[in-house]
Amino acid sequence: MEWCVSIPKIELHAHLNGSIRDSTLLELARVLGEKGVIAFSDVEHVIVKDDRSLHEVFKLFDLIHILTSDHATVTRITQEVVEDFASENVVYLELRTTPKRNESIGMSKRSYMEAVMEGLRAVNAVDVDFGCQKSTMNNKNMNDVCNGTARKKMYVRLLLSIDRRETTEAAMETVKLALEMRDLGVVGIDLSGNPIVGEWTTFLPALRFARDQGLQITLHCGEVPNKKEIQSMLDFQPQRVGHACCFEEEEWRKLKLSKIPVEICLTSNIRTETISSIDIHHFVDLYKAQHPLVLCTDDTGVFATSISREYHLAASAFGLGRREMFDLAKNSVEFIFADDGVKQDLKEIFDLTEGSWI
Ligand code: 6MZ
């Protein structure tokens, strides 16, 4: 397991509110319990439980969103989540979150995102490059990173999520916000949320607009069986898809032809039973076909996992060695949404590290 921690890693599918530490959620719940907003004893066991159906996961998100509804908490969880990924040796994180409006406390989608940005600025365990400033990672710094003499550096970029419960107008508002925040590290749009809710056609105008404006797009695709939607999503040709669990032969063919990279979330798929067992996970077939893949966590808090555990799980379940796992991490650089300068820096980080532990 330790070597899985020490590989530099790229995380491209992590939901902010799904990645909160249990200890933080319990603390927030206790405070709201004391204020009489919730009954702590009713929610404690819901927070610590880690085997959940897909349906239960979305009920948990509704509870988490009650616990994280103010700006200060959004800032705190952002800082903690980034620091947790840094401690796993993640060198590039694409963190996604759904901008939220909460009129009772004066929260707009914009001020929610400003609270997220504040959280990025508050990180002190590592030097965070979140795209607002010129890259500070030059070769000297990378050498220092590799030999452990400098503070660790980490790139963080943001994706704004559209929740499948949202209207076309709300989705469009999120895309416009992403465009306004392009200079602040926002690189793309994600479509997520309960996969049995909402219609693809509701989000299509906003996603088309996003694409026309040059934002990159990743879609939660095929988390539940829905042939028509999966086909439409693949026809849209997003830059990446997440999950891809419930594909049939025709969709696999289409995906492989398109070479659209897949964000693979093993523990999430097993826990939510969208895949019945790890040995029949589509990772194997896609890996053998050399289809572009990236291992991701989805929700480290909700599924009690970490990116290193996902690497360890893949290595042990599919019989992959250190070399293969290193290459998997290194190849993920190609699928990030940040610009070529960042890609180049990351490639150099992998090149510098390679010799030291393969
Ligand atoms: C689909 C998911 C998800 O945006 O509030 N989310 N959507 N499938 C999944 N697999 C289990 N895991 C998380 O983070 C939480 C939100 O991310 C989406 C859901 O919309 C959830 O409410 P943010 O930071």
Side-chain angles (χ1 to χ4, degrees):
M1 174 73 182
E2 250 165 52
W3 60 272
C4 292
V5 179
S6 71
I7 308 178
K9 289 175 289 294
I10 307 284
E11 167 64 85
L12 300 184
H13 188 136
H15 298 269
L16 173 61
N17 278 274
S19 307
I20 306 169
R21 300 170 187 164
D22 274 4
S23 56
T24 299
L25 283 180
L26 287 170
E27 188 189 320
L28 296 169
R30 220 169 267 123
V31 171
L32 284 195
E34 279 158 16
K35 288 185 182 159
V37 181
I38 56 165
F40 179 71
S41 54
D42 289 352
V43 303
E44 185 183 13
H45 67 281
V46 182
I47 291 170
V48 292
K49 187 174 176 217
D50 63 10
D51 56 328
R52 311 182 157 90
S53 67
L54 198 58
H55 173 69
E56 284 174 324
V57 163
F58 288 99
K59 278 176 68 181
L60 175 63
F61 280 126
D62 288 341
L63 168 64
I64 292 174
H65 289 144
I66 293 171
L67 302 178
T68 63
S69 61
D70 64 279
H71 293 106
T73 305
V74 172
T75 297
R76 173 188 172 172
I77 60 168
T78 305
Q79 177 186 353
E80 290 181 356
V81 166
V82 172
E83 291 188 345
D84 288 348
F85 277 110
S87 73
E88 296 281 323
N89 220 1
V90 167
V91 288
Y92 176 93
L93 165 67
E94 250 167 49
L95 186 62
R96 54 185 79 188
T97 193
T98 320
K100 295 168 190 74
R101 179 191 292 288
N102 181 354
E103 270 156 26
S104 67
I105 58 152
M107 181 185 278
S108 61
K109 286 188 173 188
R110 169 128 208 149
S111 71
Y112 173 91
M113 285 312 301
E114 280 162 0
V116 170
M117 298 300 304
E118 196 57 40
L120 297 185
R121 281 189 286 270
V123 170
N124 46 42
V126 284
D127 282 342
V128 175
D129 176 319
F130 46 97
C132 311
Q133 73 277 34
K134 268 192 132 17
S135 163
T136 53
M137 286 219 192
N138 54 35
N139 273 330
K140 179 182 172 302
N141 283 338
M142 283 187 281
N143 277 324
D144 292 345
V145 171
C146 296
N147 64 26
T149 58
R151 265 162 63 80
K152 281 209 284 188
K153 316 239 178 217
M154 180 186 194
Y155 285 101
V156 181
R157 294 294 183 269
L158 298 169
L159 304 180
L160 303 201
S161 301
I162 296 169
D163 186 315
R164 296 183 60 113
R165 288 177 291 196
E166 291 186 291
T167 60
T168 305
E169 293 68 33
M172 197 63 97
E173 188 190 349
T174 296
V175 172
K176 287 184 180 155
L177 178 59
L179 290 169
E180 282 169 32
M181 297 188 76
R182 258 211 277 212
D183 292 338
L184 300 172
V186 173
V187 287
I189 294 289
D190 155 56
L191 175 66
S192 54
N194 192 335
I196 59 168
V197 173
E199 294 291 326
W200 167 246
T201 47
T202 307
F203 317 111
L204 191 53
L207 292 168
R208 276 205 188 113
F209 177 63
R211 187 173 55 192
D212 291 349
Q213 296 297 314
L215 286 167
Q216 314 244 37
I217 294 168
T218 176
L219 304 172
H220 280 60
C221 179
E223 217 175 349
V224 293
N226 186 341
K227 194 175 179 65
K228 195 164 155 240
E229 182 178 277
I230 296 169
Q231 296 264 356
S232 305
M233 285 183 167
L234 293 176
D235 289 342
F236 180 78
Q237 297 194 326
Q239 275 75 27
R240 298 195 308 254
V241 293
H243 298 296
C245 299
C246 303
F247 281 31
E248 292 171 13
E249 215 164 295
E250 200 182 335
E251 289 85 74
W252 286 127
R253 219 176 8 251
K254 213 171 196 164
L255 177 82
K256 285 178 184 165
L257 266 177
S258 71
K259 302 250 183 276
I260 297 171
V262 182
E263 303 152 357
I264 297 274
C265 308
L266 296 171
T267 301
S268 163
N269 297 159
I270 301 301
R271 289 270 160 81
T272 57
E273 293 173 357
T274 43
I275 298 291
S276 58
S277 129
I278 188 88
D279 37 283
I280 57 151
H281 197 283
H282 46 288
F283 175 96
V284 179
D285 179 54
L286 292 176
Y287 185 80
K288 279 189 188 148
Q290 298 187 330
H291 189 85
L293 288 180
V294 51
L295 279 181
C296 305
T297 53
D298 206 6
D299 300 291
T300 52
V302 170
F303 299 118
T305 188
S306 68
I307 188 71
S308 306
R309 278 197 206 122
E310 295 303 300
Y311 271 65
H312 188 251
L313 178 59
S316 54
F318 311 127
L320 301 175
R322 288 161 73 114
R323 171 87 249 174
E324 285 89 356
M325 295 312 293
F326 183 87
D327 288 345
L328 200 57
K330 184 176 170 180
N331 294 341
S332 312
V333 174
E334 295 302 332
F335 322 133
I336 68 169
F337 286 172
D339 58 43
D340 288 346
V342 178
K343 274 189 191 168
Q344 194 51 41
D345 284 350
L346 292 170
K347 281 181 191 160
E348 287 175 27
I349 290 179
F350 279 97
D351 287 345
L352 283 167
T353 328
E354 193 160 359
S356 67
W357 68 276
I358 293 284

